[in-house]
Amino acid sequence: MGQTENEASGLRILVADDNMDAADSLALLLRLDGHEVAVEYNGVTALARFHSMKPHAALLDLGMPKMTGYELAKEIRKIPDGLGTYLVAVSGWGAARDKAATAVAGFDCHLVKPPDFDVLRELIRCEVADRLVRPDMSSSEHSSMSPV
Amino acid sequence: MTLSQFIRGNIEVILTEWEKFASTIPSAAGMDKRALRDDAKEILLHIAFDMEGSQSDKEQAIKSKGLKATVGAEESDAKVHASGRFMEGFSLDEMVSEFRALRASVIRFWMKQPEVETRERLLELIRFNEGIDQALTESIERFSEQLNYSRELFMGMLGHDLRTPLQVILQSTRTLPKTTGEQQQQVILHIDRSARHIQRMVEDLLDVARTRLGASFPLEPQPTDGAMLCKQLVEDMRAINPGRELRLEVTGDVNGVWDSARLIQLLTNLVRNAIQHGDAASPITVRAMGEERHAVFEVHNMGEPIAPTKLPFIFQPLVQGTGAETRARTENLGLGLYIASTIAKAHAGTLGAESSLDKGTTFKARLPRAPH
């Protein structure tokens, strides 16, 4: 493992949002932090990209055409490679019932747009980089957090 | 003869009298006459039925205060009626004035009945008024519920839809200092586009607020070349949406006296709607056609048709957001079609829509060449 605990960079991150500018600008921010970022603009292509990329984290919009973020998260959790991925919902909806729905769909975290990038960066550092440092901890940790 | 018998026996005459009034309600203008009449008939017959049941003094007092609970789980006619009027875009005042007219029509005929004793006439009248009050109370209650619900929905949508362009701007200002050259140009473009997006939402909101507050839509009509206007519009929309094929078809003379900025807004909203909801692989066609005294502007796209149950309500604001939580697209507030139809009406024209799987979706604005 080349990463140290304090610096999260060089992670593979998938960003999906049907608003292209939102997806592109978020990807650019993450790339400037040194991550490898893939961008998709709908749920179907995002799922295909997930299979080929096997990202450490995926930041997904909820209201996407063809396949919503909820459906996408459920599909990702069915894939063995998707069990340990850190899934973040990034959405304009932020009521308690929306957050409950994302938890049920398998998301680890729900951020309301516009997401605070410092918070997002800290989450990625704590939740993803730390799991990489202690790889055997990650899967057991996740299964205890998962609601299903 | 009792008043309830009288209502049953003379219902068509009463409704004809009432119809004269109903046709003066602005929001009823686009409505099916038959449907309008059937609704009023249901309510009257319901009141007549209610009047025939025996009623204690206590019951009478409760009813006159509008406190009577709806029997069973079934929806009362008055509530169903209020939901319908709300969906059709009636204001609360317009709905209440329908009831007033219904009451007035019945009373006018009833008082002319020669063979009824005065005291009997009065007692019957009191019971009829109580019935109307009960229906009115239920209708207002339902109407207010609907209004509150759609307000909440609308505020939720507004919050939601403004959030994405805000996200783009905040993310971009953060990357801007760290980028150079072409990448920086891209970031600036993102900020610009999102700020315009927010601007458009704010303008739409102001337009809606203006019409909802009852003020008319101000127009500045001037001689306009509809063909040139469409050509310019299609070119602009092509530039903004390079991935989409836009076609233009002009037939005949499409000159007229219109507010050209508003006409552009109308057509832009229709094209934007087609881009948003149409099949991305199929072209969008803008047609301008000259008729003798009218010009017709059409926007056509292929793709999933609008559900027949939704079609009558797509031009209403605050209504089409139903199910917003699962709404996939977040490009605008869903006010575009309402504003487009308001612009058509302000020009004494019409805006309609047809939609099917094989023929696609066509929006058709028909405007008189000159305002009357």
Side-chain angles (χ1 to χ4, degrees), chain A residues 17-19 21-22 24-26 28-29 32 63-65 90 92-93 97-98 112-115 117-118 121, chain B residues 156-157 160 163-164 166-168 170-172 174-175 178-179 183 187 190 193 324-325 327-331:
Chain A
D17 194 323
D18 64 330
N19 182 302
D21 290 355
D24 291 346
S25 58
L26 182 55
L28 182 55
L29 266 177
L32 289 170
M64 288 186 288
V90 183
W93 304 115
R97 63 169 189 280
D98 302 318
V112 179
K113 288 181 177 185
F117 193 69
D118 291 325
R121 186 188 259 163
Chain B
M157 273 165 56
H160 175 267
R163 283 175 185 281
T164 300
L166 269 178
Q167 177 195 7
V168 177
L170 289 172
Q171 283 170 176
S172 301
R174 195 161 175 143
T175 50
K178 298 177 191 164
T179 52
Q183 198 175 40
V187 175
H190 284 166
R193 221 161 24 205
E325 292 84 350
R327 209 167 49 120
R329 314 292 174 80
T330 57
E331 283 297 302

Side-chain angles (χ1 to χ4, degrees), chain B residues 153-225:
Chain B
L153 207 61
F154 184 72
M155 293 311 288
M157 273 165 56
L158 177 59
H160 175 267
D161 291 5
L162 281 169
R163 283 175 185 281
T164 300
L166 269 178
Q167 177 195 7
V168 177
I169 292 172
L170 289 172
Q171 283 170 176
S172 301
T173 51
R174 195 161 175 143
T175 50
L176 198 57
K178 298 177 191 164
T179 52
T180 52
E182 207 173 302
Q183 198 175 40
Q184 192 172 58
Q185 290 309 309
Q186 193 61 40
V187 175
I188 292 170
L189 189 69
H190 284 166
I191 296 176
D192 184 73
R193 221 161 24 205
S194 293
R196 283 172 202 280
H197 189 167
I198 292 173
Q199 183 185 25
R200 210 163 62 218
M201 285 192 221
V202 171
E203 279 164 7
D204 279 0
L205 276 176
L206 288 177
D207 279 346
V208 170
R210 211 174 278 147
T211 56
R212 283 265 133 174
L213 290 172
S216 62
F217 224 68
L219 289 186
E220 287 174 30
Q222 54 203 324
T224 303
D225 179 346

Side-chain angles (χ1 to χ4, degrees), chain B residues 230-281:
Chain B
C230 286
K231 186 165 175 279
Q232 190 63 49
L233 172 95
V234 166
E235 279 170 12
D236 288 350
M237 294 306 278
R238 276 181 191 144
I240 308 169
N241 304 279
R244 300 297 290 261
E245 187 186 346
L246 267 88
R247 292 178 185 166
L248 174 65
E249 294 170 10
V250 180
T251 46
D253 169 17
V254 275
N255 281 289
V257 180
W258 305 302
D259 184 324
S260 57
R262 288 300 189 181
L263 184 52
I264 289 172
Q265 188 184 10
L266 186 165
L267 293 170
T268 304
N269 287 358
L270 295 184
V271 173
R272 217 175 258 150
N273 185 69
I275 289 172
Q276 202 179 339
H277 297 287
D279 172 29

Side-chain angles (χ1 to χ4, degrees), chain B residues 132-147:
Chain B
I132 285 272
D133 285 346
Q134 177 70 31
L136 190 54
T137 306
E138 286 179 11
S139 291
I140 290 175
E141 192 182 290
R142 168 56 56 87
F143 195 94
S144 307
E145 281 167 16
Q146 297 266 22
L147 196 62

Side-chain angles (χ1 to χ4, degrees), chain B residues 21 23-25 29-30 37 95 103 110-111 120 138 150-151 169 199 207 228-229 240 245 305 320 330 363:
Chain B
F21 168 80
S23 62
T24 64
I25 298 176
R37 190 182 174 113
M95 188 188 74
R103 185 193 323 244
W110 175 241
M111 295 313 270
E120 189 57 28
E138 286 179 11
S150 60
R151 258 192 207 134
I169 292 172
Q199 183 185 25
D207 279 346
M228 273 302 292
L229 184 140
I240 308 169
E245 187 186 346
Q320 56 198 328
T330 57
F363 282 87

